[in-house]
Amino acid sequence: MISNFANYICRYTINNRKNILKTLNSLCKTVSNSRHVKDTVKYERQIESYAGDDNSWNDNENIERIECCEVHVNNYKSFLIKQKRKSGFLGKSYFHIEKPVYSHTITLFMSPLFSLSEILKKLPSLQALVDEYGDMSLYDYASESYHPKNNQTPLWITRKKELLDTLNTYLTNKFDSQLGQQVCESLGQNFCVSTAEHHGPMGHPFFFQSALLRWIVNPDTAIVNFCTSHVSLGNSSYPRGIVFHGDGPSAPEWYIHLPLFSANQRMCPVFRLSGYSEETQSKIITKIEWFKNNWIITNETFSHIRDFASSSLFEEKIVSHKTYSQQITQLNAAWWKSTFPDMPNYIPLDAEDIICDLLQNHLHTNSIIYRILTDHSIQPMIEQYFNGISCCFDLANKAGTYLFWYLDEDNVRHSLWRNGEELVSTDKSYRVRLEHEELDYHLSHRHLIPSGFLVYTTLACYYGLTCFGGFAQGNYLPKIQKAYWELLETLWISEKNLSTQSALLNEDMIFLYEKKHQISTALDLLIQWAPNVKNMSENAKNTTIQESLMAMVPQIGRCLSY
């Protein structure tokens, strides 16, 4: 079974294409026939040597680089070993030379290829969703699941007000009072958000199509998402820029990318990242002109994207924000309004940035959140109950991080681990004491990124906010909830369960396609066809949960492979 697999991409301009293809095909055949772990190092070196680095080509070799070679060759040993197909696994070894993506480039892909049955084995909560709702339409599922029955206890009502008051202050300070009012009105009526989305430009089908589905079944309130900004720019959801499909005769079947940041920033998280500037606009125009000149997009699509860039992407109100996170919130709201002018507003917010403000507030209380942050006596209990839960931390393998990630001045993340009364990075370069003043300082300066453990214990467990998650959240959130209540019981805190949500709340759903049966991105809808509300509703009614998941198998498989 494939695990920890790498996406390996090399793009070249090639004069002697036949010889290059012959060499690569021979190399791929050799690698795909390898059956021994010890051989993988040799093959990795062959591949990396062939791919080279930014300085490896010269004029004499008659090969011109058109892009920085993006190489991510990491743990693919199990793929090389497990060549025999197991039941439920689709296809042969997916390590091959594709037809050139553009007229003068070659792309070498190493991508995972899963079947739905393999994915369901990895994600039991998704299996439960298919078992219970697989034949139900997306419309019926959303109608039933996206109107949660909240707790309504006095404690829940008090904490709901506390969260909404904090949000109102936060949004008024970051943006304006009107946005704060919209968010609080929406959550006041329906106390739920999506935590499935990555904080990036609206585009990836997983995210914006799910937001559309929520609107279809709940058309009277703004759509509020708490999006993770911990995600790297280079994530497969592409927070680094815009994704769409080409409509020209040489267009590839997969997404086309318009980057807003350079490739050397791929590993930077969105959190606290400085925003893009007006200078980026000329690079975007140059890029889409190249697409047009190489028949990847039509003249009409070129005009649409150019207009979108000037009217939305580089609109003064958006570019003027200092952080990329704030730009994303404003950009996606404007983009949504341009695409769906008659729908309620779409408001994607930075989850980790909000959590920072909430945690700072808790540092002035005696709440359980305050004790989690500063009470040294309960740290061993936290390690006992939450250790090994995906999205939290794994002490034995040093996977994830304990409470926070540290973000240095170069926007590089460092995992932190408890050493007595302080958190220490693996290389000992960064230390943070678990005490009020120091935590408040680092949170206010956004040196600390709250971990998934803090995000979910704060939002779902403490405030009782219903969180619609992605395909993996159903696995880890119930475990976090269970561990949280075990912690409260151990501490003799008599608090009723404020989180009433089901583990089967999944929001990674798609139901809109283009003429070529490609899954529509947000930009596709804006530039290639006018969305019709009636047609979108009909699509949601005619697409089942299982059909939607089947369409997403390649994407989910790719995510699970990292």
Side-chain angles (χ1 to χ4, degrees):
M1 186 166 58
I2 297 176
S3 64
N4 296 326
F5 198 67
N7 187 31
Y8 181 114
I9 304 176
C10 304
R11 295 190 182 121
Y12 311 93
T13 302
I14 295 173
N15 291 336
N16 195 5
R17 185 176 299 127
K18 287 185 179 180
N19 289 338
I20 299 295
L21 279 171
K22 184 177 180 181
T23 303
L24 285 176
N25 274 313
S26 175
L27 176 61
C28 293
K29 183 178 180 181
T30 303
V31 174
S32 64
N33 287 333
S34 171
R35 293 177 180 273
H36 303 286
V37 173
K38 65 181 181 180
D39 291 334
T40 62
V41 173
K42 178 177 68 176
Y43 293 125
E44 286 178 6
R45 287 174 179 169
Q46 279 185 272
I47 295 168
E48 289 181 295
S49 174
Y50 185 83
D53 57 33
D54 289 342
N55 300 314
S56 61
W57 302 111
N58 57 54
D59 294 336
N60 295 329
E61 290 178 292
N62 207 22
I63 298 178
E64 177 188 356
R65 294 290 296 278
I66 66 166
E67 286 188 12
C68 173
C69 180
E70 299 180 353
V71 182
H72 304 293
V73 182
N74 299 318
N75 309 308
Y76 64 90
K77 296 176 182 178
S78 59
F79 172 74
L80 298 175
I81 300 169
K82 308 286 186 181
Q83 290 300 310
K84 292 183 179 180
R85 300 283 66 84
K86 294 183 178 181
S87 59
F89 192 84
L90 290 181
K92 59 182 180 179
S93 304
Y94 199 55
F95 186 7
H96 65 284
I97 298 298
E98 282 202 348
K99 181 179 178 181
V101 173
Y102 307 133
S103 59
H104 59 288
T105 66
I106 287 179
T107 299
L108 171 60
F109 280 110
M110 286 171 50
S111 300
L113 191 62
F114 286 88
S115 68
L116 182 58
S117 61
E118 284 291 326
I119 288 171
L120 296 180
K121 288 177 186 177
K122 285 178 169 284
L123 301 171
S125 66
L126 207 57
Q127 178 71 68
L129 177 71
V130 171
D131 290 343
E132 187 166 345
Y133 298 106
D135 295 329
M136 181 181 285
S137 74
L138 295 184
Y139 181 89
D140 290 340
Y141 172 77
S143 298
E144 177 181 317
S145 303
Y146 291 179
H147 296 87
K149 296 179 180 178
N150 295 122
N151 200 295
Q152 298 302 331
T153 62
L155 179 60
W156 179 83
I157 293 171
T158 299
R159 289 191 178 169
K160 177 182 177 181
K161 183 179 184 304
E162 177 187 325
L163 176 59
L164 295 184
D165 287 346
T166 302
L167 278 174
N168 191 30
T169 302
Y170 168 87
L171 293 170
T172 299
N173 293 336
K174 289 277 184 178
F175 301 99
D176 54 56
S177 58
Q178 184 179 1
L179 186 63
Q181 183 178 357
Q182 288 180 30
V183 169
C184 291
E185 285 180 356
S186 177
L187 296 185
Q189 295 178 46
N190 196 14
F191 197 56
C192 57
V193 297
S194 170
T195 49
E197 186 170 339
H198 293 167
H199 204 37
M202 185 175 74
H204 198 285
F206 276 20
F207 307 133
F208 95 92
Q209 290 203 24
S210 296
L212 279 174
L213 187 60
R214 283 170 62 198
W215 168 79
I216 288 171
V217 300
N218 193 19
D220 299 324
T221 58
I223 302 160
V224 180
N225 285 356
F226 282 9
C227 315
T228 178
S229 61
H230 175 250
V231 64
S232 301
L233 292 180
N235 186 274
S236 61
S237 61
Y238 204 66
R240 183 181 158 202
I242 312 294
V243 295
F244 67 102
H245 289 103
D247 59 346
S250 297
E253 292 185 6
W254 203 236
Y255 302 134
I256 296 171
H257 297 83
L258 284 177
L260 295 169
F261 296 87
S262 65
N264 61 15
Q265 292 179 279
R266 283 185 310 242
M267 298 309 295
C268 296
V270 173
F271 184 87
R272 206 192 69 188
L273 186 69
S274 297
Y276 59 86
S277 66
E278 292 179 354
E279 297 173 357
T280 310
Q281 185 169 2
S282 61
K283 297 178 182 179
I284 292 290
I285 298 303
T286 300
K287 191 85 169 178
I288 60 175
E289 282 178 343
W290 189 89
F291 290 148
K292 180 189 70 172
N293 295 336
N294 287 275
W295 308 100
I296 295 168
I297 61 175
T298 61
N299 290 335
E300 183 180 6
T301 296
F302 168 80
S303 298
H304 283 311
I305 298 176
R306 183 187 58 196
D307 294 345
F308 165 74
S310 60
S311 64
S312 296
L313 200 55
F314 295 97
E315 198 269 328
E316 183 179 358
K317 179 183 177 182
I318 294 168
V319 178
S320 63
H321 283 290
K322 292 182 179 180
T323 68
Y324 187 39
S325 172
Q326 291 172 294
Q327 289 177 336
I328 290 167
T329 295
Q330 296 282 42
L331 168 64
N332 288 351
W335 186 349
W336 178 275
K337 210 63 182 173
S338 298
T339 311
F340 313 110
D342 298 324
M343 294 186 186
N345 292 333
Y346 169 63
I347 308 173
L349 302 172
D350 184 331
E352 282 82 358
D353 201 56
I354 291 170
I355 295 296
C356 283
D357 270 27
L358 288 169
L359 296 181
Q360 284 183 270
N361 289 348
H362 279 279
L363 288 174
H364 300 280
T365 70
N366 193 33
S367 68
I368 180 59
I369 301 297
Y370 170 75
R371 295 187 64 185
I372 287 173
L373 296 175
T374 64
D375 189 339
H376 306 144
S377 68
I378 72 169
Q379 300 307 315
M381 301 177 199
I382 294 171
E383 292 174 344
Q384 175 187 347
Y385 293 129
F386 293 92
N387 182 40
I389 299 176
S390 175
C391 196
C392 293
F393 51 84
D394 185 331
L395 296 174
N397 298 307
K398 286 293 184 281
T401 192
Y402 190 78
L403 299 183
F404 298 98
W405 300 85
Y406 191 93
L407 188 64
D408 67 21
E409 61 276 8
D410 296 319
N411 290 311
V412 175
R413 282 165 297 191
H414 301 266
S415 58
L416 298 173
W417 302 101
R418 188 174 72 88
N419 183 8
E421 299 179 359
E422 61 181 0
L423 302 179
V424 184
S425 63
T426 305
D427 62 1
K428 314 297 184 186
S429 298
Y430 302 97
R431 296 174 179 270
V432 179
R433 288 188 61 80
L434 293 174
E435 57 91 20
H436 177 283
E437 288 78 12
E438 187 156 352
L439 286 172
D440 189 54
Y441 170 81
H442 286 294
L443 285 168
S444 63
H445 288 81
R446 298 307 193 250
H447 297 156
L448 298 176
I449 308 177
S451 66
F453 160 69
L454 282 177
V455 169
Y456 288 106
T457 52
T458 303
L459 294 178
C461 300
Y462 185 83
Y463 287 107
L465 180 67
T466 296
C467 301
F468 303 135
F471 53 81
Q473 182 179 291
N475 273 10
Y476 57 75
L477 183 53
K479 294 178 182 178
I480 292 174
Q481 291 170 303
K482 181 175 182 291
Y484 179 80
W485 300 120
E486 288 175 345
L487 176 64
L488 294 188
E489 288 178 359
T490 304
L491 296 173
W492 295 88
I493 298 176
S494 57
E495 206 174 273
K496 291 185 177 179
N497 191 342
L498 296 188
S499 181
T500 58
Q501 73 178 81
S502 163
L504 304 185
L505 279 180
N506 185 287
E507 217 198 27
D508 280 340
M509 301 296 181
I510 55 98
F511 57 99
L512 299 179
Y513 302 86
E514 298 173 61
K515 293 178 181 178
K516 297 180 182 179
H517 304 291
Q518 295 168 319
I519 302 172
S520 297
T521 70
L523 192 56
D524 294 335
L525 262 66
L526 180 63
I527 66 178
Q528 294 187 24
W529 60 284
N532 181 288
V533 173
K534 182 179 179 182
N535 289 344
M536 288 192 294
S537 298
E538 287 301 314
N539 281 1
K541 291 176 181 177
N542 293 326
T543 304
T544 67
I545 293 283
Q546 184 151 336
E547 289 169 345
S548 179
L549 290 175
M550 282 295 294
M552 296 189 295
V553 161
Q555 281 277 21
I556 298 176
R558 183 182 178 191
C559 293
L560 289 176
S561 69
Y562 286 119

